């Protein structure tokens, strides 16, 4: 499936955004104190694979997403990131488990559009907290320019199509939603290299 990236205003409520952004910030602060993981992929940011809050959100919004794209979906994985001043999200495509990507703004302080390449044009989406952008992350290049603000929190929900080419990546090959990355199989590990 290849769909043109599109935005949905007020996809989740302001209260849900506050809870998710706060919980994720608490997790970041805890990892700082413990000198734990989450700080090494994109400079000036904190990220985590499949936190329970984002795995829960992925499950709750799935019926709504299925209606929007008119496809039955399996959740594959979720991801969260807190960007800080100086972060750059380079132009990239995601791995196959991101056949359908939902990017949800949870917290922002300045305009910082998410760009998608579509038919040799750039589509830019400047989301407010609660807004979502939906696209095919594994097939459509996307990026952000240099971040000049203080803190921006984003949640990413990834899905694959039931009965589709990548449905073997249901739950990102983990035994269930909420399982850590350490439980993915070699199919996913090899693609991450």
């Amino acid at each position: 499936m290849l769909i043109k990236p599109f935005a949905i205003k007020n996809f989740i409520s302001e209260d849900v955004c506050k809870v998710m952004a706060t919980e994720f910030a608490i997790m970041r602060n805890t990892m700082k104190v413990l000198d734990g993981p989450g700080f090494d992929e994109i400079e000036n940011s904190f990220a985590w694979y499949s936190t329970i809050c984002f795995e829960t959100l992925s499950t709750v919004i799935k019926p709504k997403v299925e209606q929007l794209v008119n496809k039955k979906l399996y959740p594959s994985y979720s991801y969260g990131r807190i960007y800080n001043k100086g972060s750059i999200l380079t132009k990239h495509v995601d791995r196959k488990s991101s056949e359908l990507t939902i990017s949800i703004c949870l917290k922002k302080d300045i305009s910082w559009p998410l760009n998608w390449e579509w038919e040799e044009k750039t589509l830019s989406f400047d989301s407010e907290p609660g807004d979502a952008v939906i696209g095919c992350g594994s097939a459509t290049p996307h990026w952000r320019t240099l971040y000049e603000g203080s803190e921006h929190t984003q949640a990413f929900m990834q899905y694959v199509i039931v009965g589709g080419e990548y449905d073997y990546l249901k739950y990102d090959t983990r035994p269930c939603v909420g399982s850590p990355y350490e439980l993915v199989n070699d199919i996913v590990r090899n693609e991450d290299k």
Side-chain angles (χ1 to χ4, degrees):
M1 172 178 82
L2 190 59
I3 60 167
K4 181 178 180 179
F6 64 97
I8 303 289
K9 300 302 271 179
N10 303 307
F11 188 71
I12 62 173
S13 74
E14 184 179 330
D15 286 342
V16 170
C17 288
K18 285 179 184 175
V19 168
M20 295 283 162
T22 302
E23 183 173 335
F24 200 54
I26 289 169
M27 186 176 176
R28 178 212 41 211
N29 297 343
T30 301
M31 289 298 108
K32 278 183 184 176
V33 169
L34 298 175
D35 198 24
F39 297 95
D40 57 358
E41 189 175 311
I42 292 180
E43 190 174 341
N44 301 319
S45 73
F46 170 78
W48 203 271
Y49 175 94
S50 94
T51 63
I52 296 301
C53 66
F54 297 145
E55 293 284 272
T56 301
L57 182 60
S58 175
T59 302
V60 169
I61 67 171
K62 185 176 83 73
K64 193 173 181 179
V65 176
E66 289 175 329
Q67 281 187 319
L68 288 167
V69 299
N70 198 29
K71 297 281 182 189
K72 286 291 185 189
L73 303 169
Y74 289 130
S76 51
Y77 70 99
S78 64
Y79 207 78
R81 185 173 299 281
I82 300 173
Y83 299 91
N84 298 106
K85 187 176 179 102
S87 294
I88 297 176
L89 182 63
T90 58
K91 191 176 196 177
H92 69 287
V93 293
D94 300 321
R95 53 191 178 77
K96 294 172 186 161
S97 297
S98 304
E99 186 174 20
L100 186 72
T101 297
I102 316 302
S103 181
I104 302 174
C105 178
L106 298 178
K107 180 182 173 186
K108 71 180 266 189
D109 58 355
I110 65 167
S111 174
W112 194 43
L114 174 60
N115 303 298
W116 291 75
E117 185 177 293
W118 182 258
E119 296 180 349
E120 300 181 22
K121 294 179 184 162
T122 299
L123 305 177
S124 292
F125 301 95
D126 188 19
S127 300
E128 295 298 319
D131 295 350
V133 177
I134 300 174
C136 299
S138 63
T140 311
H142 50 284
W143 70 97
R144 291 181 188 266
T145 59
L146 179 70
Y147 178 55
E148 298 288 347
S150 298
E151 189 171 282
H152 182 104
T153 306
Q154 201 77 19
F156 311 97
M157 315 298 135
Q158 314 296 341
Y159 302 91
V160 292
I161 298 168
V162 173
E165 182 179 1
Y166 303 117
D167 80 342
Y168 65 95
L169 294 168
K170 175 183 178 181
Y171 309 144
D172 214 18
T173 73
R174 301 170 294 157
C176 61
V177 171
S179 302
Y181 182 82
E182 289 75 18
L183 297 180
V184 302
N185 72 26
D186 287 342
I187 293 169
V188 171
R189 288 183 196 284
N190 292 335
E191 191 177 357
D192 271 348
K193 291 179 182 177

